[in-house]
Amino acid sequence: MTGPAATDADRRAPDGTGPRAPRGSAPRAVPPPAPWVRTRLRATPLSALLGAALAFVAVLLAAALPRAMDRGTDQALRSFLESRGPSQTSLNVTARPRYGEESAQNLDEVLATLVSRTAPGFAVAPAGPVHGSAAGPRPLVNPGLTAPDGVPPQMSLYHLRTASEHVRLVEGHWPGAPATAPGSPVPVALSQSAAKTLRIRVGMVLETATGQDLTTMKAEVVGLYAPNDDAEDYWTDLTCLLRACLSMTTTQPPAAFWSTDALVAAEALGRLTYWGEANTKDFWRIPVDTGSLRADQLPATAKAVASYVTGPTAARLTQETHRDDLRVASHLPEQFALAEARRQAAAPLAAMGPAGVAGVAFVVFCLAAGLTGDRRESELRLLLARGGSRAGIVRRLLAENAVTVLPAAALATALAVLLLPTPRSQGTVLAASAATLLALLAVPVRAFVLLSPKRPPGPRRRLVAELLVLAATAAAVFEVRSRGVAPAGAGVDPLLIAAPLLLALCGGLLLARLQPALVGALARAAGRGPGLLGFLGLARAARGTGGRARPSVLPLIAMLLAVTTGGFGATVLTAVADARFEAARAAVGGDAQLTAPGGTLPDALTSAAAALPGVRSSVKVWTDDNVFLYGTKTGSTQISVVVADPEEYAQLSAAAGTARFDPALLAPGAAGTSGTSVPALISRDLADDDTSGFQLRLENGGALKLSVVGVVTGTPARPGAKYTTVVLPAPQVLAAIPQMGLPNTWLALGAVDQHRLEQVVRTADPAGGAERYRVRTSSAAAAELGSDPLQRSAERLFWASLAGAAGFALLAVLLTLVRAAPDRAALLARLRTMGLRPRQGVQLILVESVPLALAAAIGGGLLAVGAVALLGPAVDLSTLVGTQVPAGVPVLVRPVLTQALGLAALVAGAVLAEAAISGRRQITTELRAGDQR
């Protein structure tokens, strides 16, 4: 028998809120709500992945740029100090010998004390210190020794504690303890090269002149040695221990004589005092390890070195070594100051590129946040309408972003640290944290603004903001132009870096106001034509999408920032390359120079050089610096004379940029000349003299009467002339003085390869051409000027920053296209139903996007030119050029045009690709779904 059917009341739960569980079964648990973050990430995996990728790229660039700058400055510092050589980067310690107590052990103990005080500010170079004792010199009076001008050679004695590790014995034996008998010679070892030069043999006893104490010393040569490596840093300032050195006396006229140094044993230290008398010293040269120095620690290192030289450390060293006359000298303080000045001079120019990347990246994140906010606005407003709070919604979005951004940022930072190792991490952490914070907060901040109560439109607020930006830009530009790149020695100049960005921002705001009106006028003009694509595209470009009254200003600002900073930086680098080439050309005297110091150039050599590929023109020149000009205010003046063909030399002078003159002034029978005088161009310092009585006396005995026909400010053959310069025509001079002989200088214009010119010299003189002739080219000189790691680092950093800025600008355009995609797809779907062909749809998208690219290219180019014109005079390029050049950056159209057109072409290609790839799919989706708007 069955019971009555259960009623609805029987099936309810005891509390009446839900159905009662069936009899005999357990109640079912209500499932918990799904986690917000997991649900959202699963719902939009592609958006989450793109957001993580954007954060990864931004944080990677932010973390890598400071590390690249640190590595570049460290490398530049070390290279600069290494190029100065050990003599400029060592601590040179000297003291008087301890009479009667001199020993090798004491020299080693003092060295240990000196080395122990170098840490922690700086370390000793791996090559190690050089220490010992030196005495001398004394003249050698043995007959038969080499004496060029009758002056006997001189010899000094050295005891080097580690010399045996750097030389090898080639004849005889090493010196030992000297004999104790009065007048016994000191055993010495001499270099094989010096012995050959001075005609000294093993076993020879060298006699010396009587010293101030009326004693006569002797030295016996017991062995000859040769260095293991004569280019080793160990021999810095000790070259006379390797070979005989030719010196000149201080008498008038000066006379040449040979000097050399010899090695003695430790047992002979007591005899050095008698040999050198007052010229005896103990010395310790401690080379500083430049490879371990860091640019950020340079002030502390300089302070430690200064203390070592003349500060508290030096006082402690005097006490600890028990040498009251201990003296420490070093060129390191001035080298540190020079290196720091170079770094600070290049810092503003090196920081412009990263600043531009940062500005464009900020705009891109704003665009990405705007795109995300537009797509999720309805969702966020629904949550707010169902009781959610703005703070709660923002916290959920922050947590959602953290899941994707933080791992990507951590991975990017780790990758930057791994790829660019450097001991400094503060800049990396700060830059990566700033980029991470921007990626993390962009969407939540945008959501907070969207959910805030709407305020009535305020056009005055926008106008006030724009006026504030304009005022800040004007103030920055005025300040930079007024004071230059300042304060001097302060490193990065914030105003110089911010001024181009502010100019780009002002240009973007101005174009944002002008673009709708201009494009609208073009749309109205296109509407009068037969086609509709131009009118529709331009009309959409003139107004905003998604109900906006005007186009978004952010993509325009992004592109303007990229073009302006890129154009400004490219102009600076182009000006650096041009200035470097001009400086090299001026230093060489043209594009190629071939000289014969102390000799002449054969006709066969100059003819072969003139026949080289790339030589456009060449000129033979006679130069002489040992010429006296009579008839000046002082009676006679030592001058430099340049004799050359007027036509060819005038062309060379104009091309080299040293000076221009009319070759007709030096032609035979020129105005102001007579039959017995030679026309001459004089340097400006002689222009105030009475030139009517000028006469030249050449070193070869020739004499010339001059007729001054003009003034020159410089001459290619003597770009850095020590004396006053006079330029003379070759035909008249050679006719008056036949003994002039062959020229000693050859100058040329054209693309001359230095290796080919050197090969010509070796072919002409295989035996001694490399030593007899000197070859220089402007291309090699320019490459040498640009070989500084400081310059290369700044250039590499700029081009890397430019690539990053262009990439972010392109991403800004793509985000703008994606943001407008729904509205554009709906329009294209409607037009497809009216017969629009797919190709016409692509054309419509291109017409709609062209105004943005053109406005950015034209506006960015004009802003870059304006930035160079306004800020260029305040920029000093000497540090980047490698030599002193006049301050200022000229306005160059080509680099700016290249940047603008390149970015415009890149944007056009991206627009075309986006239209071809996604346009048809979006249209098909709209046609299937129907119009829901």
Side-chain angles (χ1 to χ4, degrees):
M1 179 176 179
T2 58
T7 64
D8 291 342
D10 294 332
R11 288 193 289 269
R12 292 186 180 275
D15 58 359
T17 59
R20 183 192 299 270
R23 294 179 181 178
S25 63
R28 290 180 296 178
V30 179
W36 169 275
V37 174
R38 186 181 66 186
T39 304
R40 288 300 311 165
L41 294 180
R42 286 183 175 181
T44 56
L46 182 59
S47 298
L49 184 61
L50 291 177
L54 180 59
F56 176 83
V57 172
V59 175
L60 179 63
L61 287 176
L65 284 175
R67 303 184 72 82
M69 295 178 69
D70 290 342
R71 288 166 58 89
T73 53
D74 286 348
Q75 183 183 3
L77 171 65
R78 294 163 185 169
S79 177
F80 172 75
L81 294 177
E82 288 174 3
S83 66
R84 290 308 193 249
S87 62
Q88 299 289 316
T89 58
S90 298
L91 301 169
N92 299 296
V93 187
T94 58
R96 293 285 299 169
R98 304 177 67 178
Y99 297 103
E101 301 179 8
E102 190 75 1
S103 66
Q105 181 181 2
N106 181 257
L107 293 175
D108 296 341
E109 291 174 353
V110 173
L111 175 65
T113 303
L114 295 174
V115 172
S116 66
R117 289 295 181 181
T118 58
F122 53 94
V124 180
V130 180
H131 68 295
S133 187
R138 279 202 175 204
L140 303 178
V141 296
N142 296 62
L145 299 183
T146 306
D149 292 337
V151 180
Q154 297 183 359
M155 186 174 72
S156 302
L157 299 184
Y158 275 80
H159 171 65
L160 294 181
R161 296 293 297 140
T162 57
S164 59
E165 302 174 8
H166 302 272
V167 297
R168 63 185 185 278
L169 191 67
V170 295
E171 188 178 350
H173 61 84
W174 288 111
T180 57
S184 59
V186 180
V188 300
L190 198 64
S191 70
Q192 187 180 33
S193 175
K196 182 178 180 181
T197 301
L198 301 179
R199 297 198 288 267
I200 296 177
R201 303 179 306 277
V202 174
M204 179 180 290
V205 176
L206 302 176
E207 303 280 346
T208 66
T210 303
Q212 295 178 0
D213 57 355
L214 303 180
T215 61
T216 300
M217 297 288 293
K218 299 179 182 180
E220 181 183 2
V221 181
V222 299
L224 301 180
Y225 62 84
N228 297 331
D229 181 9
D230 57 1
E232 193 178 4
D233 291 346
Y234 182 87
W235 301 110
T236 301
D237 300 330
L238 298 173
T239 54
C240 292
L241 279 168
L242 305 180
R243 64 187 68 88
C245 302
L246 187 63
S247 305
M248 302 296 292
T249 64
T250 57
T251 59
Q252 292 296 331
F257 68 95
W258 289 103
S259 61
T260 189
D261 302 330
L263 292 175
V264 301
E267 294 81 1
L269 282 173
R271 302 285 294 273
L272 294 184
T273 305
Y274 300 101
W275 182 280
E277 298 173 345
N279 293 326
T280 307
K281 65 179 179 180
D282 295 337
F283 65 92
W284 300 264
R285 191 182 79 229
I286 305 174
V288 173
D289 185 11
T290 58
S292 63
L293 298 180
R294 290 165 44 182
D296 63 316
Q297 295 180 349
L298 192 59
T301 304
K303 184 177 180 180
V305 170
S307 175
Y308 197 101
V309 175
T310 57
T313 305
R316 286 195 295 268
L317 288 174
T318 301
Q319 298 174 357
E320 293 173 4
T321 58
H322 305 291
R323 301 226 179 185
D324 296 336
D325 58 346
L326 194 74
R327 297 291 180 267
V328 184
S330 178
H331 294 283
L332 276 172
E334 50 264 36
Q335 297 300 328
F336 285 164
L338 184 58
E340 183 66 13
R342 294 172 71 253
R343 184 190 69 82
Q344 292 175 351
L349 301 178
M352 285 184 183
V357 175
V360 181
F362 179 80
V363 174
V364 168
F365 274 107
C366 292
L367 278 171
L371 175 62
T372 304
D374 289 348
R375 291 194 168 182
R376 299 183 62 177
E377 183 176 3
S378 57
E379 169 198 346
L380 299 178
R381 292 193 181 280
L382 180 60
L383 290 174
L384 187 64
R386 289 187 173 182
S389 65
R390 281 190 302 169
I393 295 173
V394 169
R395 282 197 301 269
R396 288 179 181 271
L397 292 175
L398 189 62
E400 182 182 331
N401 262 11
V403 173
T404 57
V405 169
L406 293 182
L411 180 61
T413 306
L415 185 62
V417 172
L418 181 64
L419 295 178
L420 298 171
T422 181
R424 295 185 287 281
S425 58
Q426 182 179 2
T428 302
V429 172
L430 291 177
S433 300
T436 303
L437 196 63
L438 178 61
L440 196 62
L441 297 180
V443 174
V445 169
R446 174 61 177 166
F448 185 83
V449 173
L450 280 175
L451 299 180
S452 300
K454 290 187 176 181
R455 294 185 297 176
R460 291 184 179 179
R461 288 197 298 270
R462 179 184 175 184
L463 180 61
V464 170
E466 292 174 348
L467 290 177
L468 288 177
V469 173
L470 180 62
T473 304
V477 172
F478 176 78
E479 183 67 16
V480 171
R481 284 185 61 88
S482 299
R483 62 165 173 77
V485 183
V492 176
D493 188 347
L495 281 182
L496 183 63
I497 296 172
L501 302 181
L502 289 174
L503 285 172
L505 181 58
C506 282
L509 296 177
L510 179 61
L511 280 178
R513 286 190 173 273
L514 295 179
Q515 183 185 354
L518 295 177
V519 178
L522 292 176
R524 288 191 296 272
R528 301 188 186 99
L532 292 177
L533 292 180
F535 170 74
L536 288 175
L538 293 175
R540 285 178 55 80
R543 62 177 179 84
T545 59
R548 295 177 181 83
R550 60 176 66 91
S552 175
V553 70
L554 291 180
L556 185 60
I557 290 178
M559 294 184 64
L560 285 176
L561 284 173
V563 175
T564 304
T565 55
F568 186 83
T571 301
V572 169
L573 293 184
T574 304
V576 166
D578 293 344
R580 190 179 294 154
F581 177 74
E582 293 299 328
R585 219 178 196 189
V588 173
D591 292 324
Q593 181 191 86
L594 182 59
T595 58
T600 59
L601 297 174
D603 287 333
L605 177 58
T606 55
S607 299
L612 282 174
V615 177
R616 297 197 310 269
S617 62
S618 62
V619 57
K620 301 175 184 178
V621 182
W622 290 257
T623 61
D624 194 349
D625 294 330
N626 193 23
V627 178
F628 284 88
L629 177 66
Y630 293 88
T632 62
K633 292 179 180 179
T634 58
S636 64
T637 304
Q638 188 173 2
I639 65 170
S640 297
V641 169
V642 176
V643 180
D645 180 85
E647 293 284 347
E648 296 175 345
Y649 197 70
Q651 180 183 358
L652 176 74
S653 182
T658 51
R660 294 178 179 270
F661 65 90
D662 185 3
L665 296 174
L666 298 179
T673 62
S674 62
T676 59
S677 63
V678 176
L681 298 173
I682 61 174
S683 53
R684 191 172 298 278
D685 54 342
L686 292 175
D688 296 334
D689 287 5
D690 182 8
T691 61
S692 60
F694 279 0
Q695 287 187 354
L696 279 182
R697 295 275 181 91
L698 301 179
E699 190 176 10
N700 57 16
L704 291 172
K705 182 181 179 182
L706 303 185
S707 294
V708 177
V709 295
V711 177
V712 290
T713 57
T715 182
R718 284 291 183 267
K722 183 179 180 182
Y723 306 111
T724 302
T725 306
V726 173
V727 179
L728 303 176
Q732 294 93 308
V733 174
L734 294 178
I737 309 177
Q739 63 267 33
M740 285 287 293
L742 295 173
N744 57 5
T745 303
W746 176 83
L747 300 172
L749 294 175
V752 185
D753 183 76
Q754 178 154 346
H755 297 293
R756 289 189 176 183
L757 189 56
E758 291 173 349
Q759 181 62 36
V760 168
V761 170
R762 287 192 293 268
T763 303
D765 189 354
E771 292 77 17
R772 187 174 302 175
Y773 305 117
R774 182 184 181 190
V775 176
R776 297 181 69 193
T777 60
S778 60
S779 58
E784 183 179 355
L785 288 176
S787 62
D788 191 345
L790 185 67
Q791 304 165 11
R792 296 199 303 269
S793 174
E795 293 176 4
R796 287 196 302 265
L797 185 63
F798 166 75
W799 289 117
S801 302
L802 179 60
F808 276 118
L810 183 62
L811 185 58
V813 174
L814 293 177
L815 287 174
T816 304
L817 294 174
V818 172
R819 192 173 185 180
D823 186 61
R824 186 177 62 241
L827 173 66
L828 293 176
R830 297 189 190 102
L831 294 177
R832 283 289 299 275
T833 61
M834 301 178 188
L836 183 74
R837 292 190 297 272
R839 181 179 298 179
Q840 291 176 322
V842 174
Q843 294 175 359
L844 179 62
I845 296 174
L846 286 176
V847 172
E848 179 183 345
S849 305
V850 160
L852 175 64
L854 287 180
I858 297 174
L862 292 176
L863 287 172
V865 171
V868 173
L870 292 174
L871 305 175
V875 179
D876 187 1
L877 301 178
S878 299
T879 301
L880 292 181
V881 171
T883 187
Q884 192 66 34
V885 296
V889 178
V891 176
L892 303 174
V893 177
R894 182 176 179 181
V896 175
L897 194 61
T898 302
Q899 303 298 320
L901 294 182
L903 188 58
L906 194 63
V907 169
V911 171
L912 183 61
E914 195 273 341
I917 294 173
S918 62
R920 181 174 301 179
R921 184 180 58 191
Q922 292 173 350
I923 294 172
T924 304
T925 303
E926 286 287 337
L927 289 175
R928 288 178 178 177
D931 188 5
Q932 303 296 329
R933 294 167 182 81

